[in-house]
Amino acid sequence: MAGASDKARFYLEQSVSELQELIRKKIFTKDEVSSIARKRSEFEHKLSGRGSTASDYARYVEYEMNLDALRRTKAKRLGIKATSYTGQRRIFFVLDRATRKFHGDTSLWMLYLNFARKQKAHKKVAQIITNMLRLHPASPELWIYAADYAWEERADIAETRGYMQRGLRFCSHSKRLWSEYLKLEMIYIAKISARRRILGLDSRSPQQESIQNGEDFGQDLITFRNVNPEHTGLGIIAADSARPKIPESKIASTPALAGAIPIAVFDAAMKEFPEEPTFGTQLFDCVAEFPELDCVKRILQHMVEYLMAAAPADVATLTCFIREPLVGLIAASILLPRALMEVVDRFELAMQNVSSLEGSVEQTRTRGAVSRHTIKCLATYLEYPELDPDIRAVLTAMIKTAWAHCLQTLKTENPRSSDETIALLNILRLHGFKDLLQPGVTSALRIWPADPHLLAMTSDSSVVLLQQHQ
């Protein structure tokens, strides 16, 4: 015990000159300084003993942080500009001892890092990150934190990529790390593209910008005529049925701005998870968050082609396959009619691909799942009040066709939860599909006869209950 006491006394003696200065400058009284010394003595003796824990260090750090905040507040009130001693050095000293003794506790490392970042001690942060990653190379969260610091604080894409790539060598099994790396590359492309537009280097003309935003400059519009709401595959007449090609003029000449790096990241990620098309859809969603970039279409097309080749009848694959033409298109865009034509064709092709599955029950379940996602995607366009009537008719017909598959699923199997079914029924109710709502409620009540939200749909008070469910 003598050794522990000697160690505690040694650490306490190092703060004597600091406490004397606090008394001399009248920041604290003698009684207050005595109380500070007693409190530090309690902490030091506890930490020097054998039974100390990581929480003891955390409480000591919290006490020193509060003390330093109080010291700064009183010094400012008294008009004392600076003192020879600051709490920052002592807090760093305690945290350094904590991470040395409990180097396996990541919460202490994060406490150390967050305090250093708050103090803008960038050299200290770099040192902490290096030591932390050396001891915890298999923690994806720590690699993401290091990359986030390099990007947010230092704006160094090379260093950020270095952290991500080194992290993936140790944590290739981490889906979150792959997703964050892909998102980083998309953010970088967006940043470079924004700079090019500001500097006038972007080849996109104002007319092309207006087309994407839904403004009409007299181009030949693609319109729907003779739409039969009962069948979405017939009666659609358009000016051009060919799939639009991505103009090369819209894509920067450098491979990085053309999406080569995100494509490479996606391919590498799918090699780690070849049997998980659902993860591919997560990466699809990461890229779809940047619809303003010219390279997004090219990247999404590559993703869809890969997923269709790997798992052509999977729900996640078919959902991306159907959604891809609509990414980045608003309801007022003049490109929406042509995209909807392609969605119609892709939906029918998706239903055909499902036929390759073994077992009628599995086919029905997959058709229903794909149809649910399709309805949710298409219903967002119906919310636009000035939507073209022909486009609204096509959307209505598509939703009716998709709902027929959802209804078949309800009749042939018993889903565990009613949440998805109620959400779809609520979409139908909000957009006035009364003819579809009643049979859907009837089928759902056979499975969940006591569900209050389904029962509410049969009464006049359905609006209130459904809004509460949302």
Side-chain angles (χ1 to χ4, degrees):
M1 190 65 186
S5 297
D6 292 341
K7 186 186 295 184
R9 189 178 300 110
F10 171 75
Y11 290 137
L12 290 170
E13 288 175 354
Q14 293 180 340
S15 65
V16 171
S17 56
E18 173 195 352
L19 297 177
Q20 288 176 345
E21 183 184 31
L22 294 176
I23 296 174
R24 187 173 63 256
K25 293 192 174 183
K26 298 181 180 181
I27 297 177
F28 291 115
T29 64
K30 289 184 178 181
D31 292 339
E32 290 172 337
V33 169
S34 297
S35 176
I36 293 171
R38 283 195 301 270
K39 193 68 176 177
R40 283 179 174 175
S41 178
E42 292 176 6
F43 279 117
E44 290 294 349
H45 279 85
K46 186 177 292 186
L47 298 184
S48 299
R50 293 183 178 180
S52 62
T53 61
S55 59
D56 293 330
Y57 280 95
R59 282 193 292 269
Y60 192 9
V61 170
E62 183 181 5
Y63 171 77
E64 290 293 343
M65 287 179 178
N66 294 333
L67 178 62
D68 186 56
L70 179 60
R71 179 194 61 79
R72 284 186 280 104
T73 301
K74 296 190 72 172
K76 183 178 180 180
R77 187 175 61 195
L78 295 171
I80 301 173
K81 294 184 178 180
T83 59
S84 302
Y85 299 91
T86 62
Q88 181 191 94
R89 183 171 61 180
R90 185 166 189 86
I91 294 169
F92 278 147
F93 178 62
V94 176
L95 285 168
D96 187 64
R97 290 162 56 194
T99 51
R100 286 177 184 274
K101 186 170 184 178
F102 298 97
H103 50 78
D105 193 324
T106 56
S107 61
L108 284 177
W109 285 105
M110 295 307 298
L111 180 63
Y112 200 177
L113 274 172
N114 290 331
F115 177 73
R117 287 187 70 173
K118 186 177 180 181
Q119 299 298 316
K120 299 187 183 301
H122 298 300
K123 290 185 178 179
K124 192 71 174 178
V125 171
Q127 180 184 357
I128 297 168
I129 288 176
T130 300
N131 295 333
M132 177 185 66
L133 294 178
R134 186 182 297 119
L135 293 168
H136 299 277
S139 176
E141 291 75 17
L142 299 183
W143 288 106
I144 293 172
Y145 184 96
D148 176 74
Y149 170 77
W151 178 251
E152 295 293 338
E153 301 290 343
R154 302 167 66 89
D156 189 337
I157 184 61
E159 184 180 0
T160 307
R161 280 178 178 155
Y163 281 127
M164 284 293 188
Q165 292 170 1
R166 284 160 55 199
L168 287 170
R169 292 194 193 104
F170 291 100
C171 311
S172 59
H173 60 282
S174 174
K175 294 180 180 179
R176 185 188 172 195
L177 195 56
W178 282 108
S179 299
E180 292 294 333
Y181 185 26
L182 180 62
K183 187 178 295 185
L184 166 70
E185 294 296 346
M186 296 304 300
I187 292 174
Y188 180 66
I189 294 176
K191 186 176 181 179
I192 296 300
S193 299
R195 285 182 179 178
R196 289 172 61 86
R197 284 195 293 272
I198 292 173
L199 296 173
L201 301 176
D202 196 343
S203 59
R204 182 187 301 184
S205 65
Q207 184 176 2
Q208 291 171 329
E209 291 277 2
S210 301
I211 291 175
Q212 185 175 0
N213 293 331
E215 299 177 12
D216 183 9
F217 274 82
Q219 287 83 356
D220 294 331
L221 297 181
I222 303 173
T223 59
F224 292 107
R225 302 194 304 271
N226 303 327
V227 178
N228 182 3
E230 300 299 327
H231 188 267
T232 60
L234 300 176
I236 300 176
I237 303 177
D240 185 8
S241 60
R243 181 173 180 174
K245 302 295 183 181
I246 302 175
E248 292 296 330
S249 59
K250 285 190 174 184
I251 301 179
S253 58
T254 58
L257 293 181
I261 297 178
I263 289 174
V265 173
F266 172 80
D267 291 342
M270 295 312 297
K271 287 181 181 178
E272 292 291 334
F273 305 94
E275 304 297 330
E276 299 188 34
T278 304
F279 177 55
T281 64
Q282 296 177 16
L283 301 180
F284 181 95
D285 292 335
C286 287
V287 176
E289 293 177 3
F290 302 86
E292 71 281 358
L293 299 180
D294 294 328
C295 63
V296 165
K297 278 291 183 183
R298 177 172 178 249
I299 299 172
L300 294 181
Q301 288 174 11
H302 175 83
M303 289 180 167
V304 169
E305 289 171 1
Y306 181 97
L307 293 173
M308 288 296 290
D314 186 83
V315 173
T317 297
L318 295 177
T319 301
C320 292
F321 177 64
I322 295 171
R323 285 176 49 205
E324 188 252 321
L326 296 176
V327 172
L329 294 182
I330 61 175
S333 174
I334 64 173
L335 301 178
L336 182 60
R338 179 177 293 178
L340 282 177
M341 283 180 53
E342 189 165 356
V343 169
V344 170
D345 295 337
R346 291 190 177 201
F347 183 80
E348 294 179 350
L349 181 58
M351 295 300 103
Q352 295 175 9
N353 287 1
V354 173
S355 303
S356 62
L357 295 174
E358 297 182 359
S360 58
V361 175
E362 183 64 25
Q363 292 179 11
T364 302
R365 183 186 295 112
T366 303
R367 287 194 180 99
V370 173
S371 298
R372 282 197 301 270
H373 291 291
T374 303
I375 291 175
K376 292 177 182 178
C377 178
L378 297 178
T380 58
Y381 292 96
L382 292 176
E383 299 173 1
Y384 185 65
E386 299 179 0
L387 188 65
D388 183 88
D390 290 338
I391 296 178
R392 187 176 296 275
V394 173
L395 289 172
T396 301
M398 273 287 296
I399 290 176
K400 287 184 177 182
T401 302
W403 176 246
H405 293 290
C406 295
L407 198 60
Q408 186 64 27
T409 304
L410 285 177
K411 293 178 179 179
T412 56
E413 65 173 4
N414 295 333
R416 296 180 180 179
S417 175
S418 62
D419 293 342
E420 289 190 355
T421 301
I422 292 176
L424 287 179
L425 290 171
N426 197 29
I427 291 175
L428 297 178
R429 182 190 62 84
L430 291 175
H431 295 291
F433 291 95
K434 297 181 180 180
D435 55 331
L436 305 182
L437 187 62
Q438 187 56 42
V441 173
T442 302
S443 299
L445 282 173
R446 292 172 184 167
I447 305 173
W448 305 287
D451 190 287
H453 305 295
L454 293 174
L455 293 173
M457 293 182 189
T458 62
S459 64
D460 296 334
S461 61
S462 62
V463 174
V464 176
L465 287 175
L466 285 173
Q467 288 177 346
Q468 292 176 353
H469 179 266
Q470 282 185 318

